[in-house]
Amino acid sequence: MKSLYLDIVDSTNKWAKEHILEIEDKTLVYTFNQTDGRGRLKRKWLNTGTDNIYASLVLKPSAVMKEVYSNLTQYLCIVLAEIMEEYGTLPEIKWPNDIKINDKKVSGILAEGVISDNELKGIILGFGVNLNTNKENLVSIDQPATALNIEVGKEIDKNEFLKKVYDRFCLMYDEFIERGFSLIRDDYIRRANFLNKNVSVKVFDKTVDGLAVEITENGALKIIDKNNKEQILLIGDIL
Ligand code: BTN
């Protein structure tokens, strides 16, 4: 595992962004003590103690942006879900990349790209996993939260978990870049907990309501809105 361990840091994503030129492709930047974690849609990712994971995987697939890169969060989501299944849980996915167990969020992913001089310098796939948290320390930011140790009923080895994530991610990464979302579409749909349900999706400062009917070939969410019109959402967050 190519990795960079930080004893304490404000945000692994921010740190990776600042050091992007020095970090090699497929390096895992991680800490167990993150003081100012960031989430999607300008949310925060709180520090729930030093037995949890705060990490950013730095990828440098090419100097030009490709459509498939926007699906990397969904690929990581499947990797995390499969590992959580190995621990005996039944994780579900909330589009695009939240993982929930028993309807409570256990992990979140935040992807950021670094572009300068018209070149993609790298992609930072940040992920936080509530691995070992006391119920009292669990903080619900946008939705109720849980931790893997609570769901499994025993402490989880954080270094072992991180290595599993790294190894599994690297295993199919090249194939994923080549074949795109279709490689994992079935695995994604099998765990999707929002299909055939009425959903409200936040897209920037708008909310779109409708029936979630499909995950398309490229990982977008298709919904039928109240006016019976089909809408394909490439970005957003189910509320
Ligand atoms: C979300 O659910 O909104 C995404 C949360 C992503 C949190 C991780 S923790 C490690 C990395 N560094 C950050 O500042 N954020 C991500």
Side-chain angles (χ1 to χ4, degrees), residues 10-14 34 36-41 43-45 53-56 97-98 105 107-110 112 125-129 142-143 237:
D10 49 359
S11 151
T12 55
N13 266 36
K14 181 165 171 266
Q34 179 174 262
D36 192 19
R38 307 158 170 199
R40 297 175 69 236
L41 303 171
R43 287 190 298 251
K44 285 185 175 301
W45 185 263
I53 286 175
Y54 315 89
S56 300
N97 51 46
D98 279 349
K105 181 159 163 173
S107 155
I109 301 174
L110 172 70
E112 300 185 77
L125 279 187
F127 59 99
V129 186
D142 53 321
Q143 50 193 303
D237 220 13

Side-chain angles (χ1 to χ4, degrees), residues 88-101:
T89 63
L90 279 178
E92 292 185 316
I93 298 174
K94 181 162 84 80
W95 184 84
N97 51 46
D98 279 349
I99 303 183
K100 298 179 102 174
I101 301 177

Side-chain angles (χ1 to χ4, degrees), residues 26 85 133 151 155 181 194 231-232:
K26 294 186 195 154
E85 276 164 16
T133 318
E151 300 299 331
E155 198 179 317
F181 184 76
F194 50 86
Q231 298 218 29
I232 308 276

Side-chain angles (χ1 to χ4, degrees), residues 31-186:
T31 187
F32 300 123
N33 197 355
Q34 179 174 262
T35 55
D36 192 19
R38 307 158 170 199
R40 297 175 69 236
L41 303 171
K42 297 192 181 142
R43 287 190 298 251
K44 285 185 175 301
W45 185 263
L46 297 180
N47 188 324
T48 46
T50 54
D51 285 324
N52 298 285
I53 286 175
Y54 315 89
S56 300
L57 194 49
V58 175
L59 303 166
K60 299 187 167 180
S62 66
V64 287
M65 193 70 184
K66 293 187 185 158
E67 207 182 301
V68 62
Y69 301 162
S70 63
N71 297 113
L72 278 167
T73 59
Q74 289 164 312
Y75 174 60
L76 176 57
C77 193
I78 291 295
V79 166
L80 289 170
E82 283 176 352
I83 294 169
M84 289 179 198
E85 276 164 16
E86 283 178 7
Y87 286 86
T89 63
L90 279 178
E92 292 185 316
I93 298 174
K94 181 162 84 80
W95 184 84
N97 51 46
D98 279 349
I99 303 183
K100 298 179 102 174
I101 301 177
N102 289 324
D103 230 20
K104 298 187 196 106
K105 181 159 163 173
V106 64
S107 155
I109 301 174
L110 172 70
E112 300 185 77
V114 184
I115 295 174
S116 76
D117 303 326
N118 270 329
E119 264 188 17
L120 178 65
K121 302 295 182 203
I123 296 166
I124 299 160
L125 279 187
F127 59 99
V129 186
N130 293 335
L131 216 57
N132 296 290
T133 318
N134 292 333
K135 275 202 172 114
E136 308 83 66
N137 291 349
L138 274 177
V139 204
S140 305
I141 296 184
D142 53 321
Q143 50 193 303
T146 188
L148 200 58
N149 67 313
I150 294 172
E151 300 299 331
V152 172
K154 66 171 184 137
E155 198 179 317
I156 311 294
D157 183 321
K158 56 191 179 188
N159 289 301
E160 189 180 290
F161 189 92
L162 266 178
K163 187 162 180 337
K164 279 179 194 273
V165 176
Y166 185 85
D167 289 349
R168 194 179 279 256
F169 186 94
C170 290
L171 199 64
M172 307 276 280
Y173 172 70
D174 291 341
E175 198 179 346
F176 183 76
I177 293 295
E178 205 168 294
R179 289 185 45 199
F181 184 76
S182 60
L183 180 71
I184 57 161
R185 185 165 176 257
D186 290 348

